[in-house]
Structure formats: structure tokens, C-alpha cells
Amino acid sequence: GGVTLYERSGAGFRVLWRKAEAASCWGVALSPAEPWVAVAVQGGQEAVRVWDYAADRPVEWPEASKLHAAPRGIAFSPDGKY
């Protein structure tokens, strides 16, 4: 599993960012305010992971650790704060 972001390139697409995951990815959300992608990961390490795809680094997201269930769908708030 994993996540791949594409961007338009001429008549086709090119890979903008890719992150492999050992577990399945069930949900993906793009932040409206930052170059961030949140991924709902299923399997042995159920979690929500947030990545800064422009810098290719994880983002500390304290609220993600409060999750007590298997995430399936996720979203950022319209202002990108949550």
C-alpha cells in the first residue's frame, strides 16, 4: 500500500510525491492551507499519518494520537486547522 500524488504534465501526468506504507491506506485528504496529505492507515498500526509532501517529511499532528478506532475516511477542515 501507499499514496501517490500526481500533477498534470502536458497531456499526461507525472508523479509529484510517493510514500510507501506496509499497511493499507483507506483514506486520503489534502489540506486546503498547507502542502499536507493525511493518510488513514489500516492494519497492524492503525493510524492517521500526516505528511508535508513539498518537504517530504512527516508533520506532527497531536490529534492523530487520540484516535481510538480504525480510520477509514478523513478530511481537513475548510480552514486547514483541523
Side-chain angles (χ1 to χ4, degrees):
V3 176
T4 304
L5 298 180
Y6 296 90
E7 74 177 351
R8 191 86 172 164
S9 179
F13 296 92
R14 73 175 187 87
V15 173
L16 177 65
W17 180 83
R18 178 176 285 151
K19 189 58 63 181
E21 277 286 347
S24 298
C25 298
W26 282 53
V28 175
L30 294 170
S31 170
E34 301 287 344
W36 294 353
V37 60
V39 182
V41 179
Q42 297 287 309
Q45 294 183 339
E46 295 168 342
V48 172
R49 301 198 209 303
V50 182
W51 292 89
D52 179 331
Y53 61 83
D56 193 27
R57 63 173 179 80
V59 173
E60 277 294 319
W61 195 265
E63 297 299 315
S65 66
K66 295 179 182 177
L67 179 70
H68 297 291
R72 296 190 186 270
I74 55 176
F76 283 97
S77 62
D79 62 5
K81 291 182 181 179
Y82 305 99

